[in-house]
Amino acid sequence: MMVETLIPVLAAFLVVTIAPGPANIAVATVSMTHGRASGLRFGLGLGVGFAFWGLIAATGLGAVLQASAQAMIVLKLAGGCYLIWLAFITWRETGAEKTDLLVLSQKRWFLQGLLLNLSNPKAVVAWLAALAAGFGSNETLAQLLFATGLCIALGFVNYFSYALLFSLQACMRFYDRFSGFVSRTVAVFFAATGLAIVRSAFQRTP
């Protein structure tokens, strides 16, 4: 693969992936709240979900999905509602007191991370934008899949890095001290993002 093709793809992908969106903030919060093991499991789920959308985009199905108004509406509603649900349980959580729902979910971090990215409508658009940044009509399918695989690997590294960083003792002590503020700030972010996604599902594009 030519370097001038790969670099724009990786640059666009890194901008989208490293930015503190819902997935990164979620894995950071889980890691600070429940520790490294939970954060890594949650990050693994996020990575698998993000990889799924990457393969969808690389095979051309992402463009079909993006062009389908009905499919995007359903995906946006699912993603928005899931973020609002995450906002609800995050708001109720503090460092010292965890709801029964959160305690019961200790063994389901992978599934929660997977659902978060599978229900993320921006993932499709992000992948299409990243791949379109460097690919035209001259590149082969093998080159496209190679770039997609490399981006998927970077996605896993990103989520695991967030989990490892925010599960450090300093970060966990910070959360224990300011758990109420952190949880409510993250909850407001999730709720605002979820409501914005739901609202966008009912907006007509010109």
Side-chain angles (χ1 to χ4, degrees):
M1 173 174 290
M2 300 183 66
V3 175
E4 58 267 27
T5 297
L6 187 58
I7 289 180
V9 174
L10 296 180
F13 181 82
L14 286 175
V15 169
V16 173
T17 306
I18 296 177
N24 286 337
I25 291 178
V27 69
T29 304
V30 169
S31 301
M32 284 191 297
T33 309
H34 299 281
R36 181 166 300 171
S38 297
L40 289 173
R41 285 195 292 269
F42 191 85
L44 180 62
L46 289 173
V48 172
F50 202 61
F52 170 81
W53 288 123
L55 294 175
I56 291 294
T59 55
L61 295 177
V64 175
L65 177 61
Q66 187 180 16
S68 173
Q70 292 80 7
M72 287 304 295
I73 287 175
V74 172
L75 186 58
K76 286 180 178 181
L77 289 176
C81 290
Y82 187 67
L83 280 174
I84 293 171
W85 178 77
L86 285 180
F88 170 72
I89 64 171
T90 302
W91 182 273
R92 296 180 59 187
E93 181 176 350
T94 65
E97 298 178 0
K98 297 180 175 62
T99 65
D100 292 340
L101 178 60
L102 288 167
V103 173
L104 290 174
S105 67
Q106 286 291 321
K107 297 182 179 180
R108 298 203 296 269
W109 290 120
F110 172 82
L111 180 60
Q112 291 186 21
L114 177 65
L115 289 176
L116 178 56
N117 263 350
L118 285 182
S119 61
N120 183 7
K122 294 184 178 180
V124 181
V125 180
W127 269 107
L128 290 174
L131 295 178
F135 284 94
S137 58
N138 296 326
E139 280 70 33
T140 65
L141 178 60
Q143 292 174 325
L144 179 61
L145 292 177
F146 176 79
T148 302
L150 188 56
C151 289
I152 288 173
L154 290 176
F156 278 103
V157 170
N158 172 72
Y159 294 132
F160 290 158
S161 296
Y162 266 85
L164 293 173
L165 173 63
F166 285 91
S167 62
L168 294 175
Q169 288 299 317
C171 293
M172 297 186 72
R173 284 196 298 268
F174 173 85
Y175 178 82
D176 288 339
R177 185 175 180 181
F178 302 102
S179 58
F181 173 77
V182 174
S183 294
R184 283 160 178 76
T185 301
V186 171
V188 169
F189 173 78
F190 283 161
T193 305
L195 289 172
I197 292 175
V198 170
R199 181 182 177 184
S200 70
F202 298 100
Q203 291 179 336
R204 294 184 178 180
T205 56

